[in-house]
Amino acid sequence: MLKRPRLRFVEVGPRDGLQNEALAIPLEDKLAFVQALAETGVGEVEAGAFVSPAAVPQMADSEMLFRRLWRKTGVVYSALVPNEKGLDRALECKVQKIAVFTAASETFNRRNINASIAESLERFRPVAARAKAAGLPVRGYVSTAFHCPYDGPVAPAAAVGVCRDLLALGVDELSVGDTIGRAAPREVRALLAELLKTVPVDKVFLHFHDTYGMAVANALTAWSEFGVSGFDASAGGLGGCPYAPGAGGNAATEDLAFAFAAEGGETGLDLDKVRAAALALEPRLGHPIGSKLCRVRPGRTVAER
Ligand code: HMG
Ligand code: MG
């Protein structure tokens, strides 16, 4: 049987989770959210995005957030960077790791970052080189790796091609995204079968949105059948992309970690702390947190359920 490795989570709640929220979240609450998440046992928190504030107003305070953050030893605080201007901003406030982001479908990429896929890769070349020179690890996101909200289904070969192009630019790891949460395990199998022919499995993270409730099934498939150990998730299941209409939240960190634990996986996460971090933010959101673990038998610890 395939070895099922220890799991590595990247907590994307403060970035993917909050970028799509309608209400302005006060900086103090964002700081408290990031700091609470850093205490959950996770190794990386994606805490902000140095994108155009006109494009994503919710991330406009990322500089202030990084400047004021109390950084816990052993936790990496990362951020999205779309171009050199974003990198300048990130370096100025001492971000520890950056993520560039492109897509496997042209229309989504144009709407999201106003570039073709090829143009975006050219844009990332100096970003990756300068980040490396500054000693920063670089992640490369590939959105719409399964389905595009505008172009429809995406062929595995298209997503794999962009993954390989990003690795050729020097990114240290990939995050392969089901941006609109439309993929099913059979599509995950098809993509991983192709991708892992040439890309080492430990460079691969998967980023599932949970629009149709498939994220847990997709993640368990990737882990148990292909040995993928890296997953992005968002506390409370918050999230969505302003340029991906209809996209639901990310896989909820606590639900995904619960599922892995139930299947014998080790995540190192304290699920009660993840739930508490999400629930503390709930009053600021103007809507309930939707994750299963935040709703099933509230007031009980995970162990008491
Ligand atoms: P553009 O309009 O083509 O950029 O936007 P530009 O270079 O022509 O500049 C236009 C203006 O923006 C200029 O200002 C620039 O200075 C400014 P003006 O002269 O007009 O005053 N600008 C910036 N300001 C601050 N920081 C910057 C920056 N760059 C330019 N870095 C751009 C191109 C990429 C900037 C824009 O389209 C953008 O910011 N897009 C971000 C979209 C985004 O954040 N989407 C959500 C994140 S991706 C996601 O959620 C998917 C993911 O979760 C994975 C998955 O689920 O699949 C990662
Ligand atoms: Mg996302």
Side-chain angles (χ1 to χ4, degrees):
M1 199 175 111
L2 187 72
K3 185 171 176 288
R4 298 186 305 174
R6 189 175 199 280
L7 291 142
R8 301 170 294 159
F9 272 43
V10 173
E11 172 57 60
V12 297
R15 194 279 304 168
D16 200 329
L18 299 189
Q19 71 182 10
N20 208 31
E21 288 296 331
L23 299 183
I25 315 286
L27 180 60
E28 297 301 329
D29 294 285
K30 289 185 182 176
L31 279 165
F33 187 42
V34 174
Q35 268 154 218
L37 292 169
E39 298 296 334
T40 61
V42 79
E44 178 176 343
V45 181
E46 195 174 74
F50 295 93
V51 297
S52 155
V56 186
Q58 196 67 260
M59 293 290 109
D61 55 4
S62 288
E63 265 110 343
M64 279 190 298
L65 184 136
F66 272 94
R67 284 209 181 98
R68 291 199 34 205
L69 199 56
W70 178 83
R71 299 176 199 220
K72 185 180 169 73
T73 307
V75 175
V76 171
Y77 298 87
S78 56
L80 290 193
V81 163
N83 53 20
E84 287 200 84
K85 177 159 187 165
L87 180 65
D88 293 338
R89 293 173 59 200
L91 290 174
E92 216 163 284
C93 53
K94 304 202 167 23
V95 169
Q96 287 159 281
K97 173 177 174 182
I98 64 152
V100 294
F101 54 108
T102 185
S105 68
E106 291 290 354
T107 310
F108 173 78
N109 208 45
R110 173 64 62 191
R111 303 262 177 119
N112 195 38
I113 56 170
N114 195 25
S116 68
I117 298 167
E119 284 164 357
S120 66
L121 293 167
E122 280 315 304
R123 209 181 262 178
F124 299 155
R125 194 178 298 283
V127 174
R130 286 180 52 206
K132 295 253 149 198
L136 267 55
V138 180
R139 154 180 274 218
Y141 276 103
V142 181
S143 288
T144 59
F146 303 90
H147 290 267
C148 172
Y150 309 103
D151 299 342
V154 173
V160 171
V162 180
C163 288
R164 289 168 58 93
D165 290 343
L166 282 167
L167 289 170
L169 285 182
V171 306
D172 299 284
E173 72 190 31
L174 297 163
S175 175
V176 179
D178 180 19
T179 312
I180 59 170
R182 186 85 173 72
R186 70 187 169 83
E187 291 161 298
V188 173
R189 287 188 192 100
L191 178 52
L192 289 176
E194 202 53 37
L195 182 67
L196 298 180
K197 281 181 191 162
T198 50
V199 172
V201 69
D202 60 354
K203 288 200 183 288
V204 176
F205 283 72
L206 293 172
H207 179 109
F208 291 118
H209 283 258
D210 201 27
T211 319
Y212 298 97
M214 301 296 272
V216 164
N218 288 338
L220 288 178
T221 300
W223 177 63
S224 61
E225 296 181 25
F226 294 87
V228 174
S229 62
F231 293 92
D232 298 349
S234 165
L238 301 174
C241 175
Y243 300 93
N250 288 273
T253 309
E254 58 276 29
D255 293 351
L256 198 53
F258 183 89
F260 278 123
E263 283 293 283
E266 275 177 58
T267 65
L269 294 177
D270 180 328
L271 302 195
D272 291 313
K273 288 186 177 171
V274 179
R275 285 165 68 221
L279 289 170
L281 199 64
E282 196 173 41
R284 294 279 176 252
L285 300 175
H287 63 81
I289 296 277
S291 78
K292 301 274 187 293
L293 259 71
C294 282
R295 291 293 154 233
V296 178
R297 306 179 81 187
R300 305 269 188 120
T301 65
V302 171
E304 287 166 349
R305 274 154 208 270

